[in-house]
Amino acid sequence: MGWTHRRLAKGLLFWPALLGFAFLGPRSRLCRMGLAGSSGETLSYQDEDYWEQRYKTGDKGANPDRIDDRGIGWLCGYKGPLQETLQAITAGDRSKVILNVGCGLDRLSPEIYADGYTNLLSSDISAHAIAEMQKSTAEDMPMAKWLVDDIMDMSVPSESVDIVVDKGTLDALLIRPQPFSCAAKALREIQRVLKVGGIYLMITHGRGDPDAWRLPLLAMPHLSFNIAKTPDMGGFFIFVCTKLPSDSGDAEEAWRKAEEWARERDQEDQEAEFAAIDDVGQ
């Protein structure tokens, strides 16, 4: 497995050059899955209620994807590059505290647990998903913990986790309204819950070009990661982001700059989407 390494300390190496990036092509956000909400509105990937209904009823909307929610799930299964990477970064230490964010109903958490990583916490914003997983794994995963939680405002204690596993959750946030603000909040929380030296293990489609579509997010000024990434593993990329010790800088000022940058990118993205809609209508 080939790796590219890059050190980003508070984003200072890349930040000035990244201000002109536009991340989400607006046309990719015009067509979204649809479910009818209780009040008749159309729900999609960006909506919490979409996932609750999908996991509860199996209904994926008018344009259903081919994802097996109770099988491999999004992007990849555990066996193969993901398992090899987790085993490498833990050096085989099965006592590591692992948090699987956005776990849904797929087999990732059960397979991580079966691989010996029993100090496992799995979280999702869907109460139904967590309740179903708790019930279905009670016998086989007695030491596992399940938590209804929001990745942008986690209840997990600070510096309590060795490894955060994210298989497509950041990708899902990036189709919400205000995608950059959502990503900034989620990454801030991920960095907060990680121990120094802990690892954010992100599996992402990266829109086919993670240097353009994911590295700039990881370079925001409130973050401090040492980053390695794989080449294309067959439609997905794996990032290994190691949390560096905090410096003596002003954390609140860094967060203010990140919020400001994210708001500007959100505004630019919205304007581009409106322009794309106008093009489609002509």
Side-chain angles (χ1 to χ4, degrees):
M1 190 186 306
W3 291 86
T4 298
H5 293 266
R6 192 165 308 197
R7 181 184 176 96
L8 300 177
K10 292 295 180 186
L12 295 179
L13 293 179
F14 286 85
W15 193 252
L18 296 174
L19 295 180
F21 267 86
F23 295 87
L24 296 177
R27 291 183 184 276
S28 69
R29 297 175 61 199
L30 296 178
C31 298
R32 293 169 170 161
M33 304 297 169
L35 285 175
S38 58
S39 60
E41 78 280 14
T42 299
L43 303 176
S44 66
Y45 287 163
Q46 65 184 0
D47 300 301
E48 295 177 25
D49 288 346
Y50 170 87
W51 296 104
E52 191 70 7
Q53 290 190 41
R54 173 172 172 153
Y55 290 147
K56 187 179 295 184
T57 68
D59 185 2
K60 297 180 180 180
N63 301 292
D65 56 59
R66 298 181 180 179
I67 302 302
D68 181 357
D69 287 334
R70 290 171 173 79
I72 288 176
W74 298 88
L75 298 174
C76 67
Y78 179 57
K79 292 183 178 178
L82 177 50
Q83 182 182 30
E84 294 166 8
T85 302
L86 183 60
Q87 291 177 348
I89 63 178
T90 61
D93 182 357
R94 265 43 178 199
S95 69
K96 294 292 187 182
V97 179
I98 297 177
L99 168 62
N100 179 19
V101 291
C103 64
L105 298 171
D106 71 27
R107 296 298 304 162
L108 181 58
S109 283
E111 290 182 357
I112 290 175
Y113 191 95
D115 199 18
Y117 297 98
T118 57
N119 204 351
L120 176 64
L121 173 63
S122 303
S123 68
D124 199 277
I125 204 165
S126 167
H128 177 85
I130 293 300
E132 181 174 326
M133 293 301 287
Q134 281 181 313
K135 183 177 180 180
S136 66
T137 65
E139 185 174 340
D140 295 332
M141 299 172 61
M143 297 175 64
K145 299 179 178 65
W146 302 90
L147 178 67
V148 179
D149 212 3
D150 183 348
I151 190 175
M152 294 185 290
D153 186 19
M154 289 192 273
S155 60
V156 178
S158 298
E159 298 191 355
S160 63
V161 174
D162 293 299
I163 299 165
V164 173
V165 178
D166 167 5
K167 186 161 75 81
T169 300
L170 186 68
D171 290 349
L173 286 180
L174 287 168
I175 61 170
R176 286 190 173 196
Q178 293 81 51
F180 302 102
S181 294
C182 289
K185 292 174 183 176
L187 291 168
R188 185 191 197 194
E189 281 292 277
I190 287 166
Q191 180 166 264
R192 178 184 66 79
V193 303
L194 280 171
K195 301 173 183 177
V196 174
I199 291 172
Y200 173 39
L201 183 60
M202 177 177 64
I203 303 91
T204 175
H205 57 67
R207 296 196 60 203
D209 186 357
D211 285 350
W213 301 104
R214 294 297 177 264
L215 277 177
L217 297 172
L218 296 167
M220 286 187 284
H222 64 308
L223 304 175
S224 185
F225 287 124
N226 185 70
I227 298 171
K229 69 176 179 66
T230 67
D232 191 337
M233 306 303 291
F236 66 94
F237 302 82
I238 300 176
F239 280 76
V240 174
C241 310
T242 305
K243 179 179 175 179
L244 301 172
S246 59
D247 58 27
S248 58
D250 187 336
E252 289 304 315
E253 176 63 14
W255 173 239
R256 186 194 64 77
K257 290 179 179 178
E259 283 188 302
E260 181 180 357
W261 179 83
R263 282 194 298 268
E264 290 175 357
R265 301 292 79 74
D266 287 336
Q267 181 63 35
E268 291 175 4
D269 183 68
Q270 185 180 59
E271 291 171 356
E273 184 166 0
F274 288 157
I277 293 172
D278 288 341
D279 288 344
V280 170
Q282 294 185 12

